[in-house]
Each structure stands twice: as C-alpha cells, then as structure tokens.
Amino acid sequence: MRPRGPAVLSLALLACSLGCSGRGDRSPPRASEPAGDATAAAALPADCDGRPRSLGPGLTHERWPVDARPAIAVAPCLDLVRADLAHHRLRVVTASRDGAARPAPTWLDDLALVAAVNAGMFHDGGTSVGLLVDGDHDDQPRDNQKLGGYLAFAPRDPAAPPVVITGRDCPGFELAALRARYRTVVQSYRLLGCTGEALPWADPKAYSAAAIGVDRAGRVVLVHARAPFVMRDLSRALARPELGLTAALFVEGGPEATLVVRADRGHLTLVGSYETGFTEHDDNDTAWPLPNLVALGRR
C-alpha cells in the first residue's frame, strides 16, 4: 500500500502517492459497492472476546472487539499475538540478504521461524520505505523524515531493554544513540504515541492493517486487523487500557498486511484485503509475496 501518516501532511502524502511504495506488480482493484457510514459490521465471532489462547510456550493469541465501524461488513475484531522474548528471538528477514521475496508462510517454512509480520512498506525493488538496518546489513540506510516511529531490538548494550518502540518526538530521542544501542532498527509510522496514547491520524482511507507493539510486560505484540478501519479508529482501539500496549508501529496496510504463526499448539495465517481506492472488497485469501519481515524464532 502507499505510505500513510498520522498528521496532516498533504504534500508528503502526495509525494508518497507518487512514488514511496509503488508496487508495480499489484493487481488492479475490483469493482465494489462504495463504503459508507451506513455499512453494517458483521456479527462478532464467538472467539472475539479478548481471551488469551496458548499457541505454545511464551506465545498467546487474542481477538478483541473494536468499537468502530469498518468500511465494509466485516467482523470488527483485532488479532493480537503476544510473544515472551525469554522463549523467542526477534529477527529481521529481508530479500536483500536472505533470498527473493515470498509469501510469509513460505518464509517461515524456509527459515524454520515461528511467526512473522510485515517489516514495513517497501519500494518496487523490495527495499524498505523507512530505515531498515540489521547489524552490518543495511536494507535501507536512509532515515525517512516522513516516518516518525522506530522499532529497535537486539541490544548491543546488555543493560538495554530487549525491544523498544519510540518516536522522533519522544523525550530524549536520538537516532544515532538508538542505533548505537541496538543492532536492528525498523522505521515506520506510529499508531500509539510516546506514552501509549492514541494518535490522531488524518488519513481518511480505510484498510486492513498490520502492526507491531510492545506491552506492559515487555512482550512483543504482533497485530492484525482484517476489518478495514481508518487508522485513527485503529489507533484508539490499540490504546484501550485492557490491551496493555505501551507502543505500536504501523507496518503495512491493504492485502499485503500479513501475520503468520506456525507454533506447537496452533497455526494462524491472517491476511489483509480491503484498501480504499485499490482492493475495495473482502475477497483476498492469499498471502502476497513480501520482501521484508520482522520474525520470531525459537531460542
């Protein structure tokens, strides 16, 4: 999908629409009935109750209802997969180092991974729209001034938290210091602010979405919303205290938004579909090829 922003950035959004993530191989959108305020959400499934379900040691899956109206009649649920980093190791996989772009389930099979989510939007050639560095490998070494959020893990400093999500406007933020402290840094837009508060995204478009968060227990939280919301509604949903998130980074929208788990006690393959002006339907059931993922491996 094309990059979005949480503030009124009309010129930046125009520039992005002209070239920030151009997916030259994307299929054309199908015709659909226009979404509107009268569109009813589908009934909530029985498992959309917020109850954690174990997928394996240190790995749980929850589905939460969202108090907002999706663009089309899809159950307004939000999937969260929480991972305890005492059991799992975060890593980045990227086509620029690890082989050609492929669907997330194939990445997991090929590299014996447990779970994965998008590592952010990408250009035609597969390089990240935002900064994406992993140790000595630079998929995208440039700090994108339009993107204000950063996921960092694999600390060089043993006293540092194993994973952080921060922002350009957060107290004490310095990108050089963050990169010196952590081997891996991924840049994108934020969905939650410096203290876990909702951010007032201005983008009026709705789409399926994937995100990465951190919760109060220090767990990594992989997020997926099949239901297409405007991002200000998704931000408000993620900020609910009962979810316990302290930070969250948007990583993809539309049919590319993907979250996959292959764990001892359960498998998940969650893919997006709807995107305003592109795929205005809920028909996609295919995991699209992706060049870059944030993944979990077993320790």
Side-chain angles (χ1 to χ4, degrees), residues 177-278:
L178 186 73
R179 293 191 61 178
R181 205 174 190 197
Y182 290 91
R183 289 176 53 81
T184 305
V185 180
V186 178
Q187 182 187 28
S188 190
Y189 294 117
R190 285 181 298 159
L191 281 163
L192 297 179
C194 302
T195 60
E197 75 277 14
L199 291 177
W201 281 58
D203 184 8
K205 296 181 180 179
Y207 32 91
S208 306
I212 303 174
V214 175
D215 70 11
R216 287 191 291 264
R219 294 174 294 187
V220 171
V221 185
L222 310 183
V223 180
H224 193 272
R226 169 80 178 197
F229 299 105
V230 293
M231 290 298 100
R232 62 180 175 272
D233 286 342
L234 183 60
S235 178
R236 283 196 291 261
L238 291 173
R240 290 163 51 192
E242 56 267 38
L243 270 63
L245 297 181
T246 60
L249 199 70
F250 171 88
V251 290
E252 188 56 281
E256 292 103 332
T258 306
L259 195 170
V260 177
V261 179
R262 298 288 182 266
D264 297 340
R265 298 176 197 149
H267 290 189
L268 295 172
T269 300
L270 306 175
V271 298
S273 186
Y274 189 99
E275 180 181 337
T276 299
F278 177 58

Side-chain angles (χ1 to χ4, degrees), residues 26-59:
R26 286 179 130 207
S27 301
R30 303 179 193 178
S32 69
E33 293 299 320
D37 291 340
T39 304
L44 291 172
D47 64 350
C48 190
D49 56 7
R51 183 170 64 87
R53 297 162 175 86
S54 176
L55 296 175
L59 200 67

Side-chain angles (χ1 to χ4, degrees), residues 29 34 50 57 60 90 95 112 120 123 127 133 147 151 167 174-175 195 211 229-230 232 235 237 254 257 259 275 284:
T60 59
L90 270 175
H123 295 288
T127 56
V133 296
L147 309 180
L151 164 72
E174 292 182 6
L175 180 56
T195 60
F229 299 105
V230 293
R232 62 180 175 272
S235 178
L259 195 170
E275 180 181 337
N284 182 56

Side-chain angles (χ1 to χ4, degrees), residues 50-130:
R51 183 170 64 87
R53 297 162 175 86
S54 176
L55 296 175
L59 200 67
T60 59
H61 173 225
E62 306 157 17
R63 302 198 79 206
W64 289 87
V66 177
D67 186 18
R69 189 182 296 278
I72 55 175
V74 179
C77 294
L78 185 64
D79 288 271
L80 274 64
V81 174
R82 300 183 196 257
D84 183 344
L85 296 183
H87 295 271
H88 301 93
R89 181 175 62 89
L90 270 175
R91 62 175 292 191
V92 161
V93 296
T94 177
S96 60
R97 179 188 57 197
D98 302 310
R102 66 205 88 165
T106 307
W107 277 111
L108 264 63
D109 292 343
D110 291 348
L111 301 180
L113 300 169
V114 175
V117 71
N118 308 73
M121 298 169 288
F122 53 90
H123 295 288
D124 273 344
T127 56
S128 178
V129 169

